[in-house]
Structure formats: C-alpha cells, structure tokens
Amino acid sequence: TAVMDQCRRDHAGADFTLVLHNLNTASSIRITDISGKLVYQSEVLPAALNNCLQIQNTFENGLYFIEVLNENRSFFQKIVLQK
C-alpha cells in the first residue's frame, strides 16, 4: 500500500500538505531539490501526524523530491512547486 498520496496545496501556494497513509513507525521526511540539496527534514511520529504533514512553502519554484524513510521501507515522490 502507498505511504504518500499526492500533495495538497492551499489556494495561495504558500503551504502544502503531505497526505501519509499506513505510517506505523517513526519516520524521517526529507525534501531535496533537483541538485540533491536537502531543503527540508523532519522526524515525525505516527500519532502526531493525523495522516497529514503541513509544510510551509519557503522553497523556490522547481522540481523537488520527497522521501519518507522508516525502519520498514522508503518511499519517493517528485513534486513541482510553483508559487
């Protein structure tokens, strides 16, 4: 089963929300830009998420890669952010 659905963004494009499913253990969320530079990292607990993680969009427009890592698996998704 999928760990992450498509991202949802607010109307102004200022924030986006990762919709996470079946996340049963503590996980690391990492976002890197197209050059591989780490631009966001967070350690999260399943109970704290309520299936959603809101991230303030302070990133430049462009292509980014989201990685969810935990002891059981890893999942990758690419997104394009535009303000």
Side-chain angles (χ1 to χ4, degrees):
T1 56
V3 173
M4 182 171 37
D5 279 345
Q6 241 178 345
C7 299
R8 297 186 308 212
R9 288 179 222 154
D10 72 1
H11 299 298
D15 295 335
F16 61 95
T17 303
L18 300 180
V19 181
L20 303 161
H21 299 285
N22 301 322
L23 200 59
N24 300 335
T25 62
S27 299
S28 175
I29 312 293
R30 297 174 32 164
I31 301 175
T32 55
D33 65 14
I34 191 73
S35 71
K37 177 183 174 188
L38 182 66
V39 295
Y40 177 88
Q41 183 169 358
S42 179
E43 301 295 324
V44 293
L45 299 173
L49 287 177
N50 196 25
N51 291 336
C52 295
L53 176 63
Q54 186 171 357
I55 299 173
Q56 186 176 2
N57 185 0
T58 58
F59 312 123
E60 298 293 324
N61 291 345
L63 180 65
Y64 292 86
F65 300 96
I66 301 172
E67 180 178 20
V68 179
L69 299 162
N70 63 35
E71 62 187 36
N72 299 323
R73 59 185 162 185
S74 62
F75 182 81
F76 297 89
Q77 181 173 330
K78 66 179 179 179
I79 60 169
V80 176
L81 295 178
Q82 294 182 340
K83 295 182 184 180

